[in-house]
Amino acid sequence: MRVQHLTGIRELAAGHLEALLERAEYWAKRPGEQSGLLAGRIIANLFFEPSTRTRFSFEVAQKRLGAHVLNFAAESSSTTKGETILDTLRMLEMMGVEAAVIRTSENGLLQNLAENVRLHLVNAGDGTNEHPTQCLLDLLTIKQHFGKIAGQTIAIIGDLRHSRVVGSHLHALPKLGAKLLLAGPPAMMRPEEELPAGVRVADLDEAIRTADVVMMLRVQLERHAEALFSSAEAYHQAYGLTLERARLMKPGAVIMHPGPFNRGVEIHTDLVDSDRSLIFTQVANGVAARMAVLEDLMNGGIGTWASSLETVGF
Ligand code: CP
């Protein structure tokens, strides 16, 4: 099982996903541990959209693996002078950069670049298409908490149309045997034809009452062409996870959110910090999931992990 790029979850087989999760679990059990598995290798992070969690957790993951990290500031790069991203990547390749982690507003950009570059591409979120490493860290969090993903019911609620996280989960959760329910305002729903078999649109009440995981999504105002609701409070009352709605959740059900979260809009502020919330665990797992992905792409692929561990003395 060897892939050159991580452009999306859609392209990964279930077995590959499971192997990545196993490796991410390995790293999650070793917080802060330093390794030399990518010692001396050079990785560039190219973020053309804002980010806190993804950008910094990739950088932490890269440093934990011993890589040299280059951070590209789009606004002070030659892309502002008209150089294309493909040509930018070719320049980086000539300097010895072996992998590029890219966040972009353009759906499918990495798939388009993949055929034309030698370095490894890692999708750190492309438009409303996919956010594969966020999906992996979410899956890791679910697996850690429940012991398995198969058989769990995940409800993803909110601005589904603009969410690249959902774009990845639509492929991942059915592949791994989980049930996925989608709920939210009709104007923010994914088109029916995009939904794979086994993914169902539910009403908000059913989604909250029946899910093992209630995953709330931010309203992505920056991607809305027009106002889709009258105020943050109106949205909270109509579609947010209020304290009253949270009381309807099943015993043992948990709350997740890929972030960034807007307290008091899609989720009540107290629920972010409640005992049922795995939101901060998700952030911690981002480092482990991204270590697994970088190792997979840059260090020989799944199946080579045992031997690489021997060489660095674990
Ligand atoms: N979840 C996520 O992608 O967060 P950032 O935009 O902060 O990276």
Side-chain angles (χ1 to χ4, degrees):
M1 262 188 288
R2 184 99 203 253
V3 292
Q4 172 72 6
H5 309 292
L6 179 63
T7 53
I9 295 289
R10 186 196 299 254
E11 290 86 35
L12 294 185
H16 199 137
L17 263 176
E18 282 159 2
L20 281 172
L21 286 172
E22 195 177 304
R23 189 59 174 168
E25 269 190 299
Y26 170 92
W27 288 119
K29 286 179 185 152
R30 292 160 176 78
E33 191 169 290
Q34 184 64 34
S35 97
L37 286 165
L38 296 182
R41 314 276 294 274
I42 306 174
I43 305 174
N45 298 319
L46 292 80
F47 280 65
F48 294 91
E49 281 193 338
S51 169
T52 298
R53 275 149 290 268
T54 312
R55 191 169 92 73
F56 285 106
S57 60
F58 262 115
E59 188 167 344
V60 172
Q62 291 153 358
K63 289 181 170 166
R64 293 252 325 265
L65 290 167
H68 295 302
V69 182
L70 305 182
N71 284 308
F72 171 96
E75 63 284 1
S76 59
S77 77
S78 288
T79 57
T80 59
K81 300 178 217 165
E83 191 158 65
T84 65
I85 297 184
L86 176 58
D87 284 331
T88 303
L89 293 173
R90 286 183 172 145
M91 301 309 126
L92 295 176
E93 277 178 355
M94 296 311 293
M95 296 169 204
V97 173
E98 291 184 61
V101 177
I102 301 177
R103 169 166 289 190
T104 171
S105 58
E106 194 178 325
N107 287 19
L109 175 70
L110 279 86
Q111 275 98 343
N112 296 336
L113 294 168
E115 294 297 308
N116 299 303
V117 293
R118 288 194 312 277
L119 49 64
H120 300 282
L121 299 178
V122 187
N123 185 350
D126 63 326
T128 59
N129 181 40
E130 281 223 35
H131 194 347
T133 59
Q134 176 69 46
C135 176
L136 274 172
L137 75 88
D138 294 343
L139 296 172
L140 171 62
T141 307
I142 295 168
K143 187 159 182 252
Q144 276 174 342
H145 188 83
F146 292 103
K148 63 185 175 68
I149 295 167
Q152 307 298 333
T153 299
I154 320 298
I156 307 187
I157 298 171
D159 188 355
L160 298 147
R161 174 143 63 101
H162 301 103
S163 168
R164 51 195 170 208
V165 179
V166 170
S168 289
H169 278 299
L170 285 176
H171 301 290
L173 290 167
K175 272 182 198 169
L176 298 179
K179 186 169 156 190
L180 175 54
L181 299 177
L182 304 178
M188 298 184 197
M189 190 52 67
R190 290 245 160 189
E192 285 280 344
E193 61 273 16
E194 277 184 21
L195 307 185
V199 178
R200 191 164 64 76
V201 176
D203 72 36
L204 185 58
D205 193 65
E206 180 200 351
I208 288 173
R209 284 179 191 274
T210 60
D212 300 294
V213 175
V214 174
M215 187 185 296
M216 302 306 295
L217 297 177
R218 181 176 68 91
V219 179
Q220 301 201 17
L221 291 175
E222 72 276 21
R223 300 189 205 280
H224 290 199
E226 61 198 50
L228 296 179
F229 57 95
S230 58
S231 68
E233 177 57 24
Y235 183 87
H236 185 64
Q237 290 309 325
Y239 291 102
L241 189 59
T242 59
L243 292 173
E244 294 71 30
R245 288 197 180 104
R247 284 187 204 105
L248 304 176
M249 288 169 57
K250 289 199 309 196
V254 296
I255 298 167
M256 292 175 62
H257 193 312
F261 44 83
N262 289 154
R263 292 173 184 262
V265 185
E266 72 276 10
I267 183 166
H268 191 283
T269 182
D270 294 352
L271 297 172
V272 172
D273 308 297
S274 71
D275 292 345
R276 304 189 99 168
S277 166
L278 299 182
I279 294 170
F280 293 95
T281 307
Q282 287 174 267
V283 177
N285 281 337
V287 174
R290 287 163 179 134
M291 287 175 82
V293 165
L294 292 168
E295 201 188 343
D296 178 27
L297 296 179
M298 297 181 72
N299 220 23
I302 289 165
T304 62
W305 284 329
S307 55
S308 8
L309 290 180
E310 278 162 27
T311 61
V312 296
F314 278 97

